[in-house]
């Protein structure tokens, strides 16, 4: 009987682990040599902006296809809590901006459990905010 209970508990834990990631949409990418498959988690908001959670390099990637202007991101909010970040635009993909932070493992855990992520974007002197609801 106890073996049966352990199996059921183990299956429930595995299912609950998938529920955490289920809040983010999933995208698969295969390397150019076709040997490795990477899984990225992302959310798209009402404005058409995309926020990609790159667990391999431990960063976020903000994508805004409708604006190719140079942008900087110095702050995000995870469930209302401010977090200072650094950003760098990809030279070959100007619509994409990498968002990096200190305490990468801790921040990634918070992002996987987040219900709302706010990205504060600055285009030159023009401020903006992009909000992602994660359900």
């Amino acid at each position: 009987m106890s073996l049966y209970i352990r199996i059921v508990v183990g299956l429930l834990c595995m299912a609950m682990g998938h529920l955490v990631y289920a809040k983010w949409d999933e995208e698969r990418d295969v390397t150019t040599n076709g040997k490795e498959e990477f899984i990225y988690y992302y959310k798209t908001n009402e404005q058409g902006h995309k926020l990609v959670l790159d667990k391999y390099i431990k960063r976020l990637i903000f994508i805004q296809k409708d604006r190719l202007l140079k942008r900087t991101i110095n702050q995000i909010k995870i469930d209302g809590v401010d977090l200072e970040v650094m950003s760098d635009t990809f030279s070959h993909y100007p619509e994409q901006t990498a968002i990096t932070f200190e305490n990468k493992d801790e921040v990634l855990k918070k992002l996987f459990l987040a219900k709302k992520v706010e990205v504060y974007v600055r285009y030159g002197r023009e401020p903006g905010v992009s909000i992602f609801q994660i359900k």
Side-chain angles (χ1 to χ4, degrees):
M1 184 71 170
S2 70
L3 177 62
Y4 177 73
I5 292 172
R6 285 188 214 165
I7 291 171
V8 170
V9 169
L11 290 172
L12 284 173
C13 289
M14 285 176 27
M16 294 301 281
H18 283 35
L19 288 176
V20 170
Y21 295 121
K23 297 190 305 182
W24 291 80
D25 297 316
E26 192 176 286
E27 188 172 279
R28 295 179 182 273
D29 188 27
V30 179
T31 56
T32 54
N33 63 10
K35 292 185 178 185
E36 288 186 87
E37 181 179 61
F38 294 106
I39 300 171
Y40 295 96
Y41 300 96
Y42 71 94
K43 271 297 179 191
T44 305
N45 66 10
E46 297 166 351
Q47 300 160 305
H49 305 159
K50 189 173 184 179
L51 190 63
V52 178
L53 184 53
D54 181 351
K55 67 180 184 179
Y56 303 101
I57 301 181
K58 298 181 180 179
R59 65 182 176 187
L60 285 170
I61 300 172
F62 177 77
I63 303 171
Q64 184 176 4
K65 293 183 179 183
D66 57 339
R67 277 188 103 149
L68 297 177
L69 300 174
K70 176 113 172 114
R71 72 183 73 78
T72 56
I73 301 169
N74 294 324
Q75 178 184 13
I76 64 172
K77 280 188 181 181
I78 302 172
D79 292 332
V81 178
D82 290 337
L83 179 67
E84 288 189 29
V85 297
M86 298 156 283
S87 65
D88 189 25
T89 304
F90 291 93
S91 59
H92 294 298
Y93 304 100
E95 72 276 2
Q96 297 184 18
T97 303
I99 303 170
T100 56
F101 28 80
E102 298 203 17
N103 300 326
K104 293 179 180 187
D105 292 325
E106 179 183 320
V107 174
L108 282 179
K109 287 178 190 174
K110 289 179 182 179
L111 285 166
F112 272 119
L113 299 173
K115 292 181 170 92
K116 181 178 180 182
V117 178
E118 299 170 60
V119 179
Y120 291 87
V121 186
R122 184 170 286 285
Y123 307 95
R125 293 183 177 176
E126 183 184 334
V129 65
S130 189
I131 299 171
F132 297 87
Q133 294 291 336
I134 305 165
K135 299 175 183 176

